[in-house]
């Protein structure tokens, strides 16, 4: 499917793995694309060669480190950077005229210092609430570039914006669904990375069959959290969370899963694993709301130097027995 009959000007802020995919994908379906990045090794290589280890950019994708130029181009501004860096970027973005821009957040996390969802960070930065959307769900760039399709979800506080964005970005490669629960969609997307880390630990221990129970209990844990925050607990069982587990818990491409496996094996893993900071943020929220979240607590134990995986697993199994759906 090609969207050339409704061509839009798209700016993608962030040129890492997912950001470069979003620029490549938006161009693939017929939009005019500018890819922005800070001048560093990743950006410099992309600017010089027009490719990275994941994608090769067509000549009609503009690559720039000029934020003003990038923002001026885009009717729709996609942001795909480290979740913990969003606030800093927005301090620069808000210096320009952005009142008519639509912002689409394509990263998964919760701000560690404030425990805010990323859309809330945007609102604090002065972006109009009805102009903010999130795009989340399963999918790895390595599969998409092989024309392996997947399903994802776009959500916002403004359903008209949700419908508009789905229409703009739908294709034969991605089937979208309309999200109707921003709290659940954002929290679900962010927290699935927590369980990706645990899945990697299970792989490293040779206990991969426990990833089935992890999926079930992890979704239940997050359903409780979403409900306590005022969202729809069923979102935990949708594309934003449970639907995204396959790419995180089982894929060789998942940074969070790889981080957990490396930790168990005593190896170094240098790529970004958003689940680490998210686990710390969620633990703060759980304490404030008095919610029991043993799996999230497990990740916070894992980051410590004296972490003993088999002891932690025993701790989980020795918890008080209860009925499956009461907690």
């Amino acid at each position: 499917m090609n969207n050339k009959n409704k061509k839009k000007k798209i700016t993608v802020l962030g040129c890492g793995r997912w950001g470069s995919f979003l620029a490549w994908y938006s161009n693939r379906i017929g939009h005019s694309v500018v890819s922005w990045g800070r001048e560093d090794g990743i950006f410099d290589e992309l600017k010089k060669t027009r490719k990275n280890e994941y994608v090769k950019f067509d000549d009609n994708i503009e690559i720039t480190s000029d934020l003003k130029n990038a923002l001026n181009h885009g009717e729709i501004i996609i942001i795909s950077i480290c979740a913990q860096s969003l606030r800093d970027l927005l301090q620069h973005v808000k210096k320009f005229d952005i009142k008519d821009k639509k912002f689409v957040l394509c990263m998964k996390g919760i701000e560690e210092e404030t425990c805010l969802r990323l859309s809330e960070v945007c609102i604090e930065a002065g972006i109009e609430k009805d102009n903010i959307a999130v795009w989340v769900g399963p999918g790895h760039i390595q599969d998409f570039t092989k024309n392996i399709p997947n399903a994802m979800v776009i959500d916002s506080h403004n359903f008209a914006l949700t419908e508009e964005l789905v229409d703009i970005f739908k294709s034969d490669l991605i089937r979208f669904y309309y999200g109707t629960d921003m709290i659940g969609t954002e929290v679900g997307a962010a927290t699935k990375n927590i369980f990706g880390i645990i899945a990697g630990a299970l792989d490293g221990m040779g206990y991969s069959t426990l990833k089935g129970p992890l999926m079930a209990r992890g979704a239940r844990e997050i359903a409780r959290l979403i409900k306590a925050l005022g969202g729809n607990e069923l979102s935990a069982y949708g594309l934003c969370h449970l639907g995204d587990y396959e790419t995180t818990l089982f894929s060789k491409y998942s940074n969070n899963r790889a981080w957990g496996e490396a930790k168990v094996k005593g190896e170094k893993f240098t790529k970004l694993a958003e689940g680490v900071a998210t686990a710390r943020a969620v633990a703060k929220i759980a304490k404030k709301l008095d919610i029991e979240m043993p799996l999230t607590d497990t990740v916070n134990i894992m980051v410590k130097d004296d972490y003993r995986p088999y002891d932690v697993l025993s701790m989980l199994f020795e918890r008080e027995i209860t009925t499956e759906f009461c907690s």
Side-chain angles (χ1 to χ4, degrees):
M1 181 184 297
N2 194 296
N3 290 352
K4 285 184 178 178
N5 61 325
K6 49 198 172 200
K7 184 174 181 178
K8 296 291 183 181
K9 293 181 178 180
I10 310 295
T11 290
V12 181
L13 303 182
C15 60
R17 177 169 68 168
W18 195 239
S20 62
F21 163 73
L22 292 164
W24 174 89
Y25 173 77
S26 297
N27 176 74
R28 178 187 185 271
I29 60 176
H31 300 305
S32 172
V33 179
V34 167
S35 171
W36 173 89
R38 291 188 172 97
E39 292 183 346
D40 56 20
I42 294 173
F43 172 83
D44 292 342
E45 184 65 21
L46 184 64
K47 177 76 172 178
K48 178 180 178 181
T49 67
R50 302 193 62 80
K51 64 181 181 180
N52 57 26
E53 61 180 299
Y54 309 107
V55 294
K56 180 176 174 57
F57 279 3
D58 287 346
D59 290 340
N60 55 352
I61 297 178
E62 181 182 347
I63 305 170
T64 183
S65 59
D66 184 331
L67 185 58
K68 181 179 180 180
N69 175 59
L71 290 171
N72 283 344
H73 171 84
E75 303 167 78
I76 298 168
I77 312 297
I78 293 174
I79 304 180
S80 179
I81 61 172
C82 169
Q84 304 307 318
S85 300
L86 177 61
R87 186 178 293 273
D88 177 68
L89 174 63
L90 293 175
Q91 297 308 307
H92 299 283
V93 168
K94 70 181 185 181
K95 296 175 183 176
F96 303 101
D97 182 7
I98 56 172
K99 65 180 183 299
D100 295 323
K101 309 289 185 181
K102 307 296 192 300
F103 286 83
V104 186
L105 303 176
C106 294
M107 62 269 226
K108 302 164 184 177
I110 295 173
E111 189 174 54
E112 183 179 351
E113 184 176 346
T114 65
C115 297
L116 292 177
R117 305 190 321 273
L118 301 185
S119 67
E120 294 175 313
V121 175
C122 288
I123 292 168
E124 277 200 355
I127 297 176
E128 177 63 38
K129 180 178 179 180
D130 283 346
N131 287 343
I132 302 167
V134 297
W135 170 352
V136 298
H140 276 306
I141 186 172
Q142 294 92 333
D143 289 331
F144 280 131
T145 53
K146 295 176 184 175
N147 288 320
I148 299 173
N150 218 317
M152 305 185 81
V153 61
I154 290 177
D155 205 340
S156 73
H157 293 289
N158 175 5
F159 191 70
L161 176 61
T162 301
E163 289 183 303
E164 178 186 1
L165 292 172
V166 168
D167 191 49
I168 289 169
F169 290 108
K170 67 185 180 182
S171 75
D172 55 353
L173 198 56
I174 302 178
R175 172 180 170 80
F176 285 101
Y177 286 82
Y178 302 124
T180 57
D181 174 29
M182 275 287 277
I183 293 174
T185 298
E186 286 193 272
V187 172
T191 53
K192 64 92 186 175
N193 286 329
I194 295 173
F195 306 117
I197 289 173
I198 301 175
L202 292 174
D203 285 338
M205 296 165 67
Y207 289 174
S208 297
T209 54
L210 279 177
K211 289 197 282 188
L214 172 63
M215 290 176 70
R217 296 309 301 163
R220 186 67 196 130
E221 183 165 307
I222 298 310
R224 293 198 305 271
L225 175 63
I226 289 171
K227 182 179 180 180
L229 289 169
N232 182 348
E233 64 182 306
L234 290 178
S235 292
Y237 306 101
L239 285 169
C240 71
H241 189 69
L242 188 60
D244 203 357
Y245 267 137
E246 187 278 332
T247 54
T248 300
L249 270 66
F250 297 99
S251 174
K252 63 183 178 180
Y253 303 130
S254 168
N255 284 352
N256 289 280
R257 193 211 60 77
W259 189 96
E261 183 173 5
K263 181 67 176 179
V264 166
K265 293 180 176 179
E267 300 171 353
K268 288 187 177 181
F269 183 77
T270 58
K271 292 184 178 180
L272 175 66
E274 293 274 21
V276 176
T278 299
R280 289 193 287 259
V282 170
K284 294 179 187 177
I285 296 170
K287 183 177 181 180
K288 181 179 179 180
L289 298 176
D290 193 24
I291 303 171
E292 190 176 16
M293 302 192 70
L295 292 170
T296 299
D297 292 341
T298 295
V299 173
N300 286 312
I301 293 171
M302 284 180 64
V303 301
K304 299 176 181 178
D305 291 337
D306 59 351
Y307 161 66
R308 294 169 59 89
Y310 297 96
D311 289 348
V312 175
L313 186 62
S314 295
M315 178 186 71
L316 288 170
F317 268 75
E318 290 168 4
R319 293 177 64 246
E320 183 180 353
I321 296 174
T322 183
T323 56
E324 186 176 8
F325 294 108
C326 77
S327 63

